[in-house]
Amino acid sequence: EAQALEDKQDLNKDLQDFVQEERQVTSGLADDMRVLGGECQSLAESFQKHQSATEQRLAHEAAALSAQLSVGNASLTALLAQHGQTQQLALETRAREITGEIVKVSD
C-alpha cells in the first residue's frame, strides 16, 4: 500500500512535470509565432515600399521617355517640312531651267 501511494505520487509528479514542460514548449512556440508574425508584417511592409518606389520610378521613366518621343517627333516633323520645302524649291528651279531652255530653243 505504501508502495502504491509512492508510485501514485511519482506518477503525479511526472504528470505535473510533463504539464509544466508542455506549457513551456507551448509558450515558446507562441512566442516564436508572434516573432514570425512580426517578421512577416515587416517583410510585407518592405515589399510594399519597394513596389511603390519601383512604380514611381517607372512612372518617371515613362514620362521622360514620352517627353523624349515628343521632342523627337517634333524634330522629325520639322525636318520633313524642311525637306519638302527644299524639294519644292528644287522642282521650281528645275522648271524655270527647263522653261528657259525651251525659250532658247524656240528662238
Side-chain angles (χ1 to χ4, degrees), residues 93-107:
T93 301
R94 185 66 183 137
R96 280 193 296 275
E97 289 172 355
I98 290 172
T99 303
E101 290 175 11
I102 291 174
V103 168
K104 283 182 187 176
V105 170
S106 297
D107 287 342

Side-chain angles (χ1 to χ4, degrees), residues 71-88:
V71 169
N73 190 24
S75 176
L76 181 59
T77 301
L79 285 173
L80 286 174
Q82 183 181 13
H83 181 68
Q85 290 172 351
T86 303
Q87 288 293 322
Q88 184 64 33

